[in-house]
Amino acid sequence: DGDGDGDAVLGAILESSSSPVPGAARGIGEYWPGERTAKPAPPPAPGAMATALRSVPPILVLPGFGNDRTDYLENAVGAVPTLNRRGFNTTVLAVKQSMWLQVFAKGALDWSFLRGSATCESPSYSWYISMAIEEIERLSAEAGGERVLLVGHSAGGWLARAVVGLMGQERASELVRGVVSLGAPHQCPPEGVVDVTRGVVGDLETRFGASKMSRWGVPVITVAGDCLKGDPSSEFPWNRASASAYS
């Protein structure tokens, strides 16, 4: 990072709370004793605060496939209230759930998408990338030129890389502080497994790998969870519906 504390910014988001409040210190995260009761107990004081940084970047949350911006605002445990408790100013890209239909509608007319060799510029995703770039420019301008930190959930993680890549080195290094992806696929699936990105992840790895983005001054951190495998023999259809799911 150009000003030396980019890693500290990312760490402040990902670091477990060191608060002595029960639950937080045990790494339970943003779920705490009494949070789900009829009269919810208040959240514990977070241990990692943005105020410890030399400058606090605005955060833009990039929703995952099929998600609506409102999914990240839920009560006290959504991404926005969780980050704001740590002293960040957090915005969610204004994606509505219905907008994701464009992926299929535009993909049906795009031969590269249909054959699984789509690129970052694919019309199936260009609407999302354009929205994100416009929002990054707006947030940076409102923050007096402060660079924006991107937090991408699921598909929002690899789309964040597409956003940075298509902005180009000069523009991205001027406007983007870094990328944190949460449960996002960044590699092509094994042979014989359908690539749900229709080739875009492979294009990203070839053209805009994480090492290249780091050289641009845009560090990347990826956080992954467990893979939950479906049970083909289950009597419950929702268990048979998918081979695997990632947190």
Side-chain angles (χ1 to χ4, degrees):
D1 185 90
D3 56 12
D5 71 337
D7 291 340
V9 174
L10 303 183
I13 293 176
L14 301 173
E15 181 181 342
S16 298
S17 172
S18 58
S19 166
V21 177
R26 296 199 302 273
I28 294 178
E30 294 305 317
Y31 292 89
W32 55 89
E35 187 269 324
R36 294 295 186 186
T37 58
K39 295 182 178 180
M49 293 296 295
T51 50
L53 304 171
R54 286 203 297 268
S55 61
V56 180
I59 289 179
L60 177 61
V61 175
L62 300 179
F65 188 87
N67 284 112
D68 189 285
R69 68 176 295 274
T70 57
D71 295 337
Y72 302 87
L73 307 175
E74 182 181 358
N75 302 322
V77 297
V80 171
T82 297
L83 291 168
N84 287 350
R85 275 200 301 277
R86 284 163 166 74
F88 292 98
N89 181 15
T90 312
T91 301
V92 184
L93 189 66
V95 173
K96 296 181 182 297
Q97 195 170 47
S98 60
M99 290 180 173
W100 291 103
L101 293 173
Q102 296 179 75
V103 173
F104 305 107
K106 294 180 178 180
L109 303 176
D110 179 8
W111 179 240
S112 64
F113 182 92
L114 293 174
R115 67 186 181 191
S117 57
T119 66
C120 304
E121 293 86 354
S122 167
S124 293
Y125 300 107
S126 59
W127 60 272
Y128 186 108
I129 293 169
S130 295
M131 283 180 63
I133 292 174
E134 289 179 9
E135 190 68 357
I136 289 167
E137 292 173 339
R138 184 187 71 81
L139 290 173
S140 179
E142 288 186 355
E146 182 67 55
R147 291 183 296 159
V148 180
L149 182 61
L150 305 181
V151 176
H153 167 234
S154 190
W158 56 263
L159 282 165
R161 290 174 57 200
V163 167
V164 172
L166 294 180
M167 290 176 78
Q169 180 175 359
E170 182 177 354
R171 197 171 173 206
S173 60
E174 178 184 344
L175 294 174
V176 181
R177 186 72 166 267
V179 173
V180 176
S181 73
L182 309 174
H186 288 292
Q187 294 182 335
C188 295
E191 187 175 350
V193 177
V194 175
D195 179 2
V196 294
T197 74
R198 308 308 298 151
V200 177
V201 165
D203 180 54
L204 280 171
E205 195 58 30
T206 300
R207 297 165 60 193
F208 307 122
S211 59
K212 173 181 281 191
M213 290 171 58
S214 294
R215 291 195 298 273
W216 288 4
V218 182
V220 180
I221 288 182
T222 298
V223 182
D226 292 334
C227 173
L228 306 177
K229 295 187 177 181
D231 180 6
S233 63
S234 173
E235 60 181 303
F236 301 108
W238 51 84
N239 283 347
R240 298 194 304 266
S242 62
S244 61
Y246 294 84
S247 61

